[in-house]
Amino acid sequence: MQHVTLNNGVEMPILGFGVYQIPADRTEQAVTDALEAGYRLLDTAAAYGNEEAVGHAIKNSGIPREDLFVTTKLWVQDAPAQDNTRRALETSLAKLGLDHVDLYLMHQPYGDVYGQWRAMEAANREGLARAIGVANFHPDRLLDLILNNETTPAVNQIETHPFFQRAADHALMREHQVQHQAWGGFAEGRNDLFTHPVLSGIGEAHGKSVAQVVLRWLIQRDIVTIPKSVNPDRMAQNTAVFDFALTDDQMTQIAALDTGTTLFFDHHDPEMVAWLSKRRLEQDRS
């Protein structure tokens, strides 16, 4: 496994296992299978409703805690944001059965971002989170947070795939030592990703699948990625991406696929901002 070093010196695997949209009743088995396949980075969130299942799989795995890298995420908190952020983290830790997480991310750039961030900084100082970061922050929001706070986010987890490559975001993060992490690396199969002629052709040249080509492309861009699967064979296949490398020409071919547009939802869309800002987890686990 290849690792990246975050801006506070913490090491993070560049390839992990995500559990977004895996139902809670299937998550424990999926995580168990992922750990058996060799994954050591696990990515969940309070909003996913499956932290407890992730925790059960960790407990039953027998893998030493120090060998695992566990990420969870903070949902938008009501005022007072600092107090509620601390309670949210404590709730997540209890569900996971852990005394700390390796990375705690602010899931959305809404609400009292500064209050939430101050509470996250305190949790980092106390050792409840070895590193703290954000998710879904566009460059303007990310830079604002960096310039006006003591701690620079260690990670920004954003939609990143061959059709939305986030080159400008990537450059800004590199400049400010924020690790770029991808969600939706396979674009959930949209735009016929798994049968795309460019990606398929590159895969054939290496004897690899399209999924492996996409993961390799992300890794060669120094982007941490967290593919999801409930199929043990695919989990294992997704880890077999360190025995080949894409050529400069192949990287250029993939770069040409960028549309510069989200395939899911726009965090600048007022309707989406309103929906995400008003959502409360105790009322909605969808």
Side-chain angles (χ1 to χ4, degrees), residues 29 36 99 101 127 156 167 183 212 219 225-226 245-246 255 258-259:
Q29 186 60 56
E36 290 179 354
D99 61 9
V101 290
N156 185 20
W183 66 255
Q212 289 170 316
I219 288 168
T225 181
I226 44 172
L246 303 180
D258 191 13
T259 67

Side-chain angles (χ1 to χ4, degrees), residues 62-98:
I63 297 172
R65 175 65 182 91
E66 60 269 20
D67 292 344
L68 297 174
F69 191 102
V70 181
T71 300
T72 194
K73 307 180 191 74
L74 169 77
W75 194 253
V76 181
Q77 295 300 305
D78 291 320
Q82 285 184 247
D83 294 342
N84 286 327
T85 295
R86 179 56 174 253
R87 281 192 283 270
L89 174 55
E90 291 172 349
T91 297
S92 287
L93 290 173
K95 289 182 176 181
L96 289 163
L98 302 176

Side-chain angles (χ1 to χ4, degrees), residues 13-26:
I14 200 166
L15 177 67
F17 184 71
V19 298
Y20 176 57
Q21 291 183 329
I22 300 180
D25 61 357
R26 299 187 66 188

Side-chain angles (χ1 to χ4, degrees), residues 4-17:
V4 298
T5 302
L6 303 181
N7 59 21
N8 65 350
V10 170
E11 287 198 348
M12 179 182 191
I14 200 166
L15 177 67
F17 184 71

Side-chain angles (χ1 to χ4, degrees), residues 130-161:
R130 295 176 65 219
I132 56 175
V134 297
N136 299 306
F137 272 57
H138 282 263
D140 54 337
R141 301 302 303 275
L142 180 62
L143 187 59
D144 177 70
L145 192 69
I146 291 170
L147 294 177
N148 292 292
N149 287 279
E150 178 181 340
T151 305
T152 295
V155 170
N156 185 20
Q157 185 183 115
I158 57 175
E159 176 190 352
T160 312
H161 47 73

Side-chain angles (χ1 to χ4, degrees), residues 201-213:
I202 293 172
E204 289 173 7
H206 292 279
K208 294 290 185 178
S209 69
V210 167
Q212 289 170 316
V213 168

